[in-house]
Amino acid sequence: MGDHLNYLFGPVPSRRLGRSLGIDPTPTAAFLPGFRVGPDERPRLRKICDWNCVYCQLGRTKPFTRSRSAFFPPQDMLSELRETLAGEAGGSIDWITFVGSGEPTLNRDLGTMLRGVKDMTDIPVAVITNGSLLRSRELREELAAADAVLPTLDAGSSSLFRRINRPPAEFSFADHLDGLIAFGAGRRGKLWLEVMLIAGLNDGEAALRDIAAAVRRIGPDQVHLLLPTRPPAEDWVLPAGEAGLERAKVLLGEAAPVIVPDERRGEFGEGPETDPVEAALGIIARHPLSGEQLIRVLARRGARQPEEAIRLLANSGKVVEVMRYGKSFWRLP
């Protein structure tokens, strides 16, 4: 095995899925085969997405990607997964999760990859998506192979949807809701809606009642309440406080079972890469890490001097440090 994974990352501790082995169906240029970064260059980070959510940990969307495309041969990813699973200890992975450097369903080979993963392993498979393309019958049929699909519902009104998720002008809240309702009606696996609670935007009573009304129409198995604790696309984004979180539990709980994932669950463990710095960089590209997490990732992957490795990474320009609530985080530039 090479030192670098092109399509997989982790396992990482997921707030919803325990120890999750990530599959990135929309990798950035910096993580495609053959891409090389010169000594004075930075990785090119282009998020492949059709929304521009204010809380996105991958930054702003420039430009929008509006149609599905093939980004790499599916068999390349499946071969990488087969080799990775062969090197993992039994029972060390709770879920295999499709979650991209942007929106996973924009990869038109997603159905092929999902079926390939299900043929390869009994580990349950999840897809984390904004849900924007669920109006497509073809995509809904592809996602039928997943054990769980986790789409986004951050708003129950058009005005709030545009303020939070910032889709292209031609995509409406009605479009989004119609897709979620259609998927909910025909699903085979679990449907877990994800609501990101932002202070002053969707944590008030009126906004939450609107979301609850939408939840009733969709009929999910669960609603997961999340908070934007990692550095967001917009600096003014703040997580809802205890009062907002409790209000959401009560009001959304009237529409569906509410889950508040444990932020502390799981830990970054050993992985298949032989280069701990490459392993850390692969995670950071899709999942910004706090300073403490980055040290643990490097140490668990075999770095003898994690602090020195971080210093070298920072000096290379491959990662940047940002502060959030007085806490250090590392992400791609």
Side-chain angles (χ1 to χ4, degrees):
M1 176 176 293
D3 289 349
H4 181 64
L5 293 176
N6 295 309
Y7 314 108
L8 275 62
F9 62 99
V12 299
S14 167
R15 293 175 290 190
R16 292 142 288 186
L17 303 167
R19 289 192 81 243
S20 168
L21 179 64
I23 297 176
D24 186 352
T26 53
T28 66
F31 287 89
L32 289 174
F35 180 78
R36 295 292 181 268
V37 179
D40 299 321
E41 296 180 300
R42 293 182 177 181
R44 294 182 304 219
L45 176 58
R46 176 177 176 251
K47 183 174 61 169
I48 297 171
C49 196
D50 54 349
W51 286 4
N52 184 25
C53 298
V54 297
Y55 57 79
C56 183
Q57 64 186 22
L58 296 177
R60 297 173 182 171
T61 304
K62 300 178 182 178
F64 286 119
T65 301
R66 288 177 164 84
S67 59
R68 304 183 78 190
S69 301
F71 297 104
F72 54 83
Q75 287 304 320
D76 290 357
M77 182 282 291
L78 292 171
S79 295
E80 191 170 279
L81 175 63
R82 185 176 297 106
E83 190 172 355
T84 298
L85 292 177
E88 281 286 329
S92 66
I93 298 173
D94 297 313
W95 285 79
I96 295 173
T97 307
F98 284 83
V99 53
S101 304
E103 172 48 42
T105 62
L106 285 168
N107 190 319
R108 71 183 183 200
D109 293 319
L110 181 62
T112 299
M113 289 188 282
L114 277 168
R115 291 189 296 273
V117 174
K118 293 300 294 181
D119 288 342
M120 189 183 305
T121 178
D122 292 331
I123 299 172
V125 178
V127 179
I128 298 177
T129 170
N130 63 20
S132 62
L133 301 181
L134 289 177
R135 288 182 303 160
S136 163
R137 181 185 297 274
E138 179 183 10
L139 176 61
R140 296 197 301 269
E141 290 174 353
E142 291 174 16
L143 291 175
D147 297 282
V149 176
L150 292 77
T152 296
L153 182 69
D154 299 321
S157 66
S158 178
S159 60
L160 202 52
F161 174 63
R162 297 224 157 265
R163 289 180 64 190
I164 296 176
N165 302 119
R166 302 190 300 193
E170 65 270 18
F171 187 80
S172 70
F173 176 67
D175 293 333
H176 185 47
L177 188 57
D178 287 348
L180 290 171
I181 292 170
F183 182 76
R187 70 183 182 274
R188 298 177 195 170
K190 298 296 184 182
L191 172 57
W192 297 334
L193 287 178
E194 176 180 300
V195 180
M196 187 70 75
L197 290 176
I198 303 170
L201 280 183
N202 62 352
D203 63 340
E205 181 176 352
L208 289 168
R209 289 195 182 279
D210 285 343
I211 295 174
V215 170
R216 291 187 182 93
R217 296 183 63 187
I218 298 164
D221 297 286
Q222 295 176 355
V223 174
H224 292 189
L225 301 181
L226 305 177
L227 298 172
T229 55
R230 301 187 186 105
E234 307 300 338
D235 291 340
W236 51 263
V237 169
L238 297 173
E242 285 298 323
L245 185 59
E246 289 303 317
R247 192 158 45 239
K249 290 179 187 177
V250 172
L251 296 178
L252 299 185
E254 296 173 357
V258 169
I259 304 296
V260 182
D262 186 351
E263 293 276 355
R264 299 165 297 179
R265 184 179 179 185
E267 182 54 274
F268 291 91
E270 294 79 3
E273 302 91 339
T274 59
D275 185 335
V277 174
E278 289 292 342
L281 193 58
I283 295 173
I284 289 171
R286 294 98 172 182
H287 189 294
L289 298 176
S290 69
E292 295 90 343
Q293 287 176 325
L294 181 52
I295 288 175
R296 289 197 293 270
V297 167
L298 290 165
R300 286 175 177 266
R301 306 293 173 111
R304 295 182 179 181
Q305 296 180 305
E307 292 83 359
E308 176 64 13
I310 292 173
R311 186 186 68 80
L312 293 174
L313 270 173
N315 289 343
S316 73
K318 293 182 179 180
V319 297
V320 295
E321 183 180 21
V322 296
M323 300 301 295
R324 180 74 168 166
Y325 310 127
K327 189 174 183 178
S328 169
F329 285 86
W330 292 89
R331 66 183 182 190
L332 292 190

